[in-house]
Amino acid sequence: MAALTPTADGADTAPAGPKDVSRRGGSPAARPARARRGRPRVWRGAVLGLAGVYFLVPLLASFVFTVHVSGQGVNFDAYTGIFSADGFGRSLLLSLGLAAATIVLSLLIAVPAMVAVRLGAPRLRPVVEIVCMLPLVVPPIALVSGLQSVLKWGPDHLATTPLYQTFLAVQNQSFPLVLVFAYVVLALPFVYRSLDAGLRAVDVTTLVEAARNCGASMPYTLWRVILPNLRSSLAGAAFLTLALVLGEYTIAALLGYEPFAVWIVTISGDQAQMSVAVSLLSLLIAWALLLVLSRAGARADSGAGVSGGPASRVSGPDASGASATAPAPRTAPAPGAAAPLPAPSGKE
Amino acid sequence: MPSDTLPAAPGKPVPGAADGSRRRRRGSRSWLGTLPLLVFAAVCFGLPVGFVVYGALTTDQGGATHATGANLSTSLHGAYLGSLTGSVELSALTALIGCVLGMLIAQAVVTSRRGALRESVLTASGVLANFGGVPLAFAFVATLGISGVVTQIAHLGSAGWSLYSFPGLVVIYLYFLIPLMVLVSVPALDGLRPQWREAAQNAGATTGQFWRHVGIPVLAPTLLGGFVLLFGSAFAAYATAAALVGGSVPLVTLKIADALSGNVQVGQENVALALSADMIVIAGLVMAVYLPLQRRSTRWLH
């Protein structure tokens, strides 16, 4: 999950490992290593081949299922009918809206907290980490059972207070804020890990001190220095949240709302083919989104070099040594890479 | 001997020791940044969980609320207990299989020198690990269900195969658990530095010895942590099973949903809350193992 970020970072360094060994052909250790390479290749092919079969067959079979009816030949009615299906647009829009709100809210609360913890409140760091990780301990079904009792209890006991209106507002049928709150809770662990990986790669303290020494205000620093450096992990967090919200069924179904995943189940009763077709499409859309976002992340990484430029120039007058730290973090996250400076915050 | 190389390898100076005083001065205000997160978590997470615990320990009788252990003991007897153990068994088995297979795939990817393969496997894993829930259930219905494509081609139905059963759920759960394990273990396997292997080889160690004395000990926290993470994912999964088996396999999540929606008996909400509390305890124990393990593995691998 959080590996989205390492994916991009580690991709070019990993093949270097085996290559290093083979290039040093003269050393006595290299020859047995090369001799042994024949076996792993067979083993690797078998593992990857079997994995490929297991992961591709359900996708292919689903596709066949949606286009082929025995005795009637092949047709694409299951796909063409989706857009005119009752409830499709409504449920999809609701899911997308919920996802957007969840992404915005989760980043709005997580980013300041995590930057603050790095900057000046290291003692709160375990607190923030535990708070963000605790939702992993509470399964969605347990969360929704708690939410349901809160929603039941609230109107009964707070009927005379202004909070009553709040309870009604969060359960608004056309845009249930209660789902957004629940989804932010569910997304927190993933947002935390993605941002944590990004922050590990950036020396926040040095960047902020450099910017502050040059007279930048704190909000300006956060917006123009910290966030650009985090762009790929922000994108990763956003994608994970989007995927989570689009696929979420438990909470919405039990609270009685009908976003996308619930809608698929609703239609599966009398339109089995279409429900499978929509399932396949949702996977393809998720895949496309991930590709777009990882591209954007990669571009943001190279872009961070550009926007990191001013930052390192900023740090110039601060201390001669500090300017070297700005480019260093970009190489630091790759494990085993010989960075001039060690990962600034890898140590807990 | 190979283990002698371990302590020296991740040698890192302590960062930020010099500017500690400056950091402390600024600390007076910057904790404010954590406030929105903490308040949100208290209201939207703490409150519902508090209600779960409160509801599990009390019962409503004619408007008066009594503290009682009855809900909890009901949740630990009969069909409810069966659903708990069913969930634990399913999660443990799928996590174990997923751990081993995921690690194998990750190792195959890491040792392969093709960047494109690595990238596509990781991208696919990122998508598939999130491909749980309803769409996954329906994809498998189309594949291995009663009228599924593979079921019909291979005549699995007459061979006694049923997707709507314990083995069926294992096959489905692995579909998102294995990619999750791949994502967890690739960074760890990357962190196994080639120098360690070279050092072991120079000292005359075989591949087996390298793995036994260096590889596995360094990876052990990741492996265990991955197992625990997979267990948690499988344990909490509801949508897949709900869309699929609808009750033919006893799972605690299905039981909670039934009790919440009043399908079984009126007034079972508090038993549902007690079952939820049971789940939280089990998942909490599991995570109490996971987090320290993760910290241990980051010590070596970053």
Side-chain angles (χ1 to χ4, degrees), chain A residues 36 44 54-55 116 119-120 145 344, chain B residues 15 23 27 30 108 171 175 207 276:
Chain A
R36 235 178 273 134
R44 209 156 52 211
Y54 174 63
F55 286 104
L119 279 184
S145 64
Chain B
R23 234 177 254 185
S30 50
V171 171
Y175 202 82
T207 305
S276 301

Side-chain angles (χ1 to χ4, degrees), chain A residues 150-217:
Chain A
V150 173
L151 293 178
K152 234 181 250 170
W153 171 87
D156 286 353
H157 293 80
L158 303 171
T160 53
T161 66
L163 272 176
Y164 183 63
Q165 292 301 323
T166 320
F167 270 95
L168 291 186
V170 296
Q171 295 183 74
N172 183 354
Q173 195 70 33
S174 62
F175 193 80
L177 275 174
V178 63
L179 287 187
V180 174
F181 296 150
Y183 293 166
V184 171
V185 170
L186 293 189
L188 264 187
F190 309 116
V191 170
Y192 177 85
R193 277 204 227 141
S194 186
L195 290 178
D196 193 49
L199 283 166
R200 265 171 213 281
V202 180
D203 190 350
V204 179
T205 318
T206 307
L207 284 181
V208 169
E209 272 174 14
R212 300 284 281 157
N213 284 347
C214 289
S217 68

